[in-house]
Amino acid sequence: MKRFLIGMAALLFLLAAFEFAGEKISPKDSGEGGARRGEAPGETPGEKAGGEAPVLPLRTLDGTELSLADFRGKKVLLNFWASWCSPCREEIPHLQKFYRRHGGEIAVLAVNLTFGKENPETVKKFVEDHGLTFPVLLDREGKMMKEYGVVGIPTSFFIDEKGMIRRKYVGPMKEKDMDKIFRQMEESSE
């Protein structure tokens, strides 16, 4: 099991490095439920736009258990990241600003891939250093990552009040990208 987790961490690192090396690729709007660069839906529930979002429970840094089911009735931005990932570090300030402005309207949950290079102490220091105020969940075994079909980070999912995935976004977002997708969700729920 340990070899598998180390292998997964190495794979994620290579995918992130390959994905974001050199020229930045700007996200294209591929419609509701779409992912950047026309990524096709896969076989896992998390990759299917319009499918129900997996609700596995995870623990926060302070040990509280949270599940996506706890947020039923509220929109959710679910973000997968790691502190060693430079595109994730680029995205984090935008995520915090978005949360500060819209936290009452949409829950922001950051799922840290806490295996391989990552550990709770590293994550805690990162959260404190960056003044993050949204919940950070620890995916210690990669179960949530697997359930959502995440192969590169950062990857974000926008989930509606009924727990249905409305949009998948692969790569770092800026606050304006988050705002745009959030507005689209608001308009489609009216």
Side-chain angles (χ1 to χ4, degrees):
M1 180 66 160
K2 191 173 186 177
R3 272 198 229 178
F4 172 76
L5 292 175
I6 291 170
M8 287 298 295
L11 178 62
L12 283 172
F13 177 76
L14 289 173
L15 287 170
F18 177 77
E19 178 75 18
F20 300 105
E23 181 180 285
K24 290 205 183 264
I25 301 168
S26 60
K28 74 177 189 177
D29 183 9
S30 57
E32 187 170 326
R36 187 175 73 140
R37 295 185 17 215
E39 184 174 315
E43 295 300 314
T44 62
E47 291 184 85
K48 296 176 183 172
E52 191 167 345
V55 295
L56 291 176
L58 293 175
R59 296 218 178 263
T60 63
L61 283 168
D62 69 4
T64 304
E65 187 173 276
L66 285 180
S67 166
L68 199 57
D70 299 330
F71 296 89
R72 203 53 53 98
K74 188 167 188 165
K75 292 176 181 66
V76 176
L77 191 173
L78 185 67
N79 177 267
F80 288 83
W81 69 287
S83 67
W84 52 261
C85 163
S86 59
C88 300
R89 289 193 309 268
E90 175 187 317
E91 179 182 60
I92 284 291
H94 295 279
L95 204 56
Q96 179 60 39
K97 288 177 188 173
F98 178 80
Y99 178 70
R100 211 173 310 128
R101 286 190 19 248
H102 297 291
E105 305 162 84
I106 184 169
V108 173
L109 303 175
V111 178
N112 180 270
L113 305 181
T114 318
F115 54 86
K117 293 184 195 181
E118 206 80 296
N119 64 58
E121 294 76 32
T122 306
V123 178
K124 184 175 182 173
K125 181 170 177 8
F126 184 90
V127 166
E128 289 169 356
D129 290 350
H130 290 83
L132 305 183
T133 57
F134 46 79
V136 174
L137 305 170
L138 305 176
D139 191 4
R140 293 175 182 246
E141 297 173 5
K143 288 180 181 177
M144 185 72 99
M145 177 189 81
K146 184 177 178 181
E147 282 294 314
Y148 276 85
V150 173
V151 294
I153 54 174
T155 295
S156 296
F157 294 86
F158 288 82
I159 301 164
D160 70 15
E161 300 90 340
K162 295 176 184 170
M164 305 302 280
I165 296 170
R166 292 295 164 215
R167 183 76 183 265
K168 176 182 180 182
Y169 193 104
V170 179
M173 287 189 287
K174 299 214 180 297
E175 189 179 2
K176 66 180 181 171
D177 301 318
M178 296 172 206
D179 284 337
K180 179 180 178 182
I181 296 169
F182 178 59
R183 277 195 312 274
Q184 289 171 347
M185 286 179 72
E186 290 284 284
E187 291 167 4
S188 69
S189 66
E190 291 175 357

